[in-house]
Amino acid sequence: MINVKGKSPKHSPQAGIRCDDCPIQNVCFPKELSHQELKDISAASVKHRIVHQGEFLCHAGERFSSIYVVHSGFFKSIKRFYNGYEQIIGFQMSGDVIGLDGIASNSFASDVIALETSEVCLIDYTTIESDTTVKKLHRHFDKVFSREIIRLQNMTLLLGGMNANQKIAAFLINLSKRFEKLSYSPSEFYLRMTRVELASYLGLTNATISRTFTQFKNHDLIKTSGRKIIIHDYEKLLSIILDNSLTQGF
Amino acid sequence: MINVKGKSPKHSPQAGIRCDDCPIQNVCFPKELSHQELKDISAASVKHRIVHQGEFLCHAGERFSSIYVVHSGFFKSIKRFYNGYEQIIGFQMSGDVIGLDGIASNSFASDVIALETSEVCLIDYTTIESDTTVKKLHRHFDKVFSREIIRLQNMTLLLGGMNANQKIAAFLINLSKRFEKLSYSPSEFYLRMTRVELASYLGLTNATISRTFTQFKNHDLIKTSGRKIIIHDYEKLLSIILDNSLTQGF
DNA sequence: CGGAGAGTTGACAAAAGTCAAACACGGTGG
DNA sequence: CCACCGTGTTTGACTTTTGTCAACTCTCCG
């Protein structure tokens, strides 16, 4: 298991940054804003913070209220898995935005840790929302956005951290869940894609897909005939994803 | 090279769907909307379309104006690389949202192709924007969102489709560009992360990172001493990413 | 000067890719 | 109705890439 952990957080003082002469103000605000608008908005909804090396900018699960923009310094963001596996899913430097994954569920989806002493700007998410009736719709689409970001984050975990067995088990379980949500059978369904398409999706080759399906069949985890999939042992599929050692074992 | 292409698009007729009795209406609209609000908004900004198997829902580069929600059927989305390499970055089924990557630059960032005859709902992006002054800010943050989605899409390409040499070349070039944008030297910089962190990010091990750096040094592509990187042959690094065959060749 | 953490390197093992042959299966046309 | 074709799938033999484990080196700091 790779150690990508950060130190426990310490005190985080305020930084002395002003938005109106910030060289990366175009990251935080649209160019079309007048000088006065920018001043007003930044006064109302922007704060600044210093984060020292090794400190957490935010923790996965922590309540979301601000989007962060890196003013100076360097961060890593980490996604953790239930079994303790963790993987870096991004490095952020000056001008990069952190925390977009927090909007979907009002809590951050990854840990972010400073790799050197850094300054960040906090943009208060609640105050940049509009007051009109369309606000609801915007809020809604922000969540859609954020969910897509989380999905892609999970995709990087899968592609960067899993072997072929794990990837395919994860794929099957994911599909099973999605079918169940739509009130279709979670244990018996047809794939709509070819093996080649599946291979492209999972960063594998179709030969490996085939072999792994065969392997899963031989261990009575699933039954397949062509595109039809029957999941026999959901729990074992899950354990393959979570526990690397099992993967080799069977 | 994997063939994940779709057929050339044909005629795409309208589908007969109504939002107010749609089982997945909560995907397109927030729950808090009244029945009347939902009716008004859907009348104003939602259209429907049938896409037959093999047809494109949208092309990368095509002008963006709507977000798509899958009503029924199955899609694949594909990201293409300059050199012709292509990779599937997602499968979408009923309730999944397509096209969020189009907001950043007003054009879609990936091809989306139907794997079976499907119905989609088009949500007109322009009409769901608010009219207040805060509109600019929202529009701005939508772009920030969308850019993050595109970054993660590119990450899945890297993790799913590249070998160690390509991943590391891509990482160095990406970092070089980002430093250049911030008016730092693009050819000489310090890494802020350990080899272990880099390995976690790229889905490799630190041993492989080290070996690849050494290999790059031996071929005069870069010079390293500890965390300091000097890029000697940017063009060759680029060609490693783009051309698989070169990767083996040197 | 010594110790800790980070980085490099070597020997070997395991995973996945490559290439090619064989097989399955659905659709089409004789 | 059946032979044939094309597309997709499975499987085998072999190769390449990357991982694993461990030893060794380097560098920075106290």
Side-chain angles (χ1 to χ4, degrees):
Chain A
M1 190 113 316
I2 303 161
N3 177 22
V4 285
K5 284 195 178 68
K7 298 170 195 167
S8 59
K10 298 183 222 163
H11 181 61
S12 301
Q14 281 264 116
I17 302 166
R18 285 177 50 221
C19 293
D20 49 352
D21 64 352
C22 174
I24 54 164
Q25 61 176 238
N26 66 312
V27 173
C28 304
F29 305 107
K31 295 183 206 64
E32 308 93 46
L33 286 189
S34 73
H35 191 77
Q36 192 55 46
E37 280 180 309
L38 189 148
K39 251 186 144 169
D40 293 346
I41 289 174
S42 67
S45 44
V46 181
K47 284 191 169 52
H48 306 280
R49 189 193 294 169
I50 291 174
V51 189
H52 293 287
Q53 188 192 105
E55 283 183 14
F56 284 74
L57 174 60
C58 57
H59 291 265
E62 181 189 326
R63 186 181 164 71
F64 163 84
S65 63
S66 299
I67 292 162
Y68 300 99
V69 178
V70 180
H71 182 79
S72 66
F74 218 89
F75 290 88
K76 62 178 174 183
S77 45
I78 301 178
K79 192 107 183 174
R80 293 176 208 281
F81 223 59
Y82 316 99
N83 61 346
Y85 176 76
E86 54 191 36
Q87 187 178 315
I88 293 178
I89 56 166
F91 291 114
Q92 290 83 27
M93 54 194 286
S94 190
D96 291 337
V97 182
I98 295 173
L100 295 174
D101 57 12
I103 294 176
S105 65
N106 255 306
S107 66
F108 293 108
S110 45
D111 288 343
V112 182
I113 298 167
L115 291 182
E116 61 185 7
T117 296
S118 309
E119 297 168 288
V120 293
C121 309
L122 293 73
I123 302 177
D124 185 3
Y125 176 72
T126 52
T127 65
I128 61 165
E129 289 193 281
S130 110
D131 297 304
T132 69
T133 48
V134 202
K135 170 181 165 179
K136 285 179 197 166
L137 262 188
H138 256 299
R139 170 93 186 133
H140 176 74
F141 276 96
D142 282 355
K143 289 202 176 189
V144 173
F145 267 106
S146 190
R147 274 196 295 268
E148 176 70 0
I149 286 172
I150 292 170
R151 187 189 73 79
L152 285 163
Q153 285 181 347
N154 289 331
M155 201 63 206
T156 66
L157 258 194
L158 178 143
L159 290 170
M162 294 187 182
N163 62 29
N165 284 342
Q166 292 176 306
K167 285 175 176 179
I168 291 170
F171 172 79
L172 290 175
I173 281 180
N174 174 263
L175 215 53
S176 167
K177 281 186 193 162
R178 287 161 78 189
F179 279 123
E180 187 169 33
K181 218 181 215 169
L182 297 170
S183 335
Y184 297 122
S185 166
S187 61
E188 204 171 327
F189 48 82
Y190 281 89
L191 299 179
R192 311 299 161 89
M193 68 290 291
T194 67
R195 299 285 191 267
V196 172
E197 288 171 330
L198 193 47
S200 166
Y201 182 59
L202 297 177
L204 298 167
T205 58
N206 58 337
T208 303
I209 303 276
S210 258
R211 274 189 256 270
T212 307
F213 273 160
T214 306
Q215 200 186 352
F216 282 2
K217 267 196 291 195
N218 292 342
H219 289 82
D220 294 320
L221 303 183
I222 61 172
K223 193 178 285 183
T224 74
S225 77
R227 306 260 178 107
K228 183 171 188 185
I229 304 279
I230 299 173
I231 295 182
H232 276 151
D233 197 337
Y234 188 93
E235 292 307 317
K236 193 123 183 208
L237 278 180
L238 255 185
S239 72
I240 287 175
I241 304 173
L242 298 177
D243 187 5
N244 251 312
S245 60
L246 242 182
T247 315
Q248 336 291 14
F250 80 130
Chain B
M1 190 115 314
I2 304 160
N3 176 23
V4 284
K5 285 194 178 63
K7 298 170 194 168
S8 59
K10 300 182 223 166
H11 180 63
S12 300
Q14 281 263 118
I17 302 165
R18 284 178 51 222
C19 293
D20 49 351
D21 65 351
C22 174
I24 54 164
Q25 62 177 237
N26 65 312
V27 173
C28 303
F29 305 107
K31 296 185 206 58
E32 309 92 45
L33 287 189
S34 72
H35 192 76
Q36 191 55 44
E37 280 179 309
L38 190 148
K39 251 187 146 169
D40 294 345
I41 289 174
S42 68
S45 46
V46 180
K47 285 191 169 52
H48 306 280
R49 189 194 293 170
I50 290 173
V51 188
H52 293 288
Q53 188 193 107
E55 283 183 14
F56 284 74
L57 174 61
C58 57
H59 291 265
E62 180 189 325
R63 188 182 161 71
F64 163 85
S65 63
S66 298
I67 291 163
Y68 300 100
V69 178
V70 180
H71 181 80
S72 65
F74 217 90
F75 290 88
K76 62 178 173 184
S77 46
I78 301 177
K79 193 109 183 172
R80 292 176 208 284
F81 224 59
Y82 316 101
N83 61 346
Y85 175 75
E86 52 191 36
Q87 187 178 316
I88 292 179
I89 57 166
F91 291 114
Q92 290 82 27
M93 53 195 287
S94 191
D96 290 337
V97 182
I98 295 174
L100 294 174
D101 57 12
I103 294 176
S105 65
N106 254 305
S107 65
F108 294 109
S110 47
D111 289 342
V112 181
I113 298 168
L115 291 182
E116 62 184 8
T117 296
S118 308
E119 297 168 289
V120 293
C121 309
L122 292 74
I123 302 177
D124 185 4
Y125 175 71
T126 53
T127 66
I128 61 166
E129 289 194 278
S130 110
D131 297 303
T132 68
T133 49
V134 203
K135 168 182 165 180
K136 285 179 196 168
L137 263 188
H138 256 299
R139 170 95 186 131
H140 176 74
F141 275 97
D142 282 356
K143 290 200 177 193
V144 172
F145 268 108
S146 191
R147 274 196 294 271
E148 176 70 1
I149 286 172
I150 292 171
R151 188 189 72 79
L152 285 163
Q153 286 182 347
N154 289 331
M155 201 64 204
T156 67
L157 258 194
L158 179 142
L159 290 170
M162 294 187 183
N163 62 29
N165 284 342
Q166 292 176 307
K167 285 176 177 179
I168 291 170
F171 172 79
L172 290 175
I173 282 179
N174 173 263
L175 214 53
S176 168
K177 282 187 192 161
R178 287 159 80 188
F179 278 124
E180 187 169 33
K181 217 181 215 167
L182 298 170
S183 334
Y184 297 124
S185 166
S187 61
E188 205 172 325
F189 47 82
Y190 281 89
L191 299 179
R192 311 300 162 88
M193 67 289 290
T194 67
R195 300 285 191 268
V196 171
E197 288 171 329
L198 193 46
S200 166
Y201 182 59
L202 297 176
L204 298 168
T205 59
N206 59 338
T208 302
I209 303 275
S210 256
R211 274 189 259 271
T212 307
F213 273 160
T214 306
Q215 201 186 352
F216 282 3
K217 267 196 290 196
N218 292 343
H219 289 82
D220 293 321
L221 304 183
I222 62 172
K223 193 178 285 181
T224 73
S225 77
R227 306 256 178 112
K228 183 172 187 184
I229 304 279
I230 299 173
I231 295 182
H232 276 150
D233 198 337
Y234 188 92
E235 293 306 317
K236 193 123 183 209
L237 276 180
L238 254 184
S239 71
I240 288 175
I241 304 173
L242 298 178
D243 187 5
N244 250 311
S245 60
L246 242 182
T247 316
Q248 338 289 16
F250 80 130

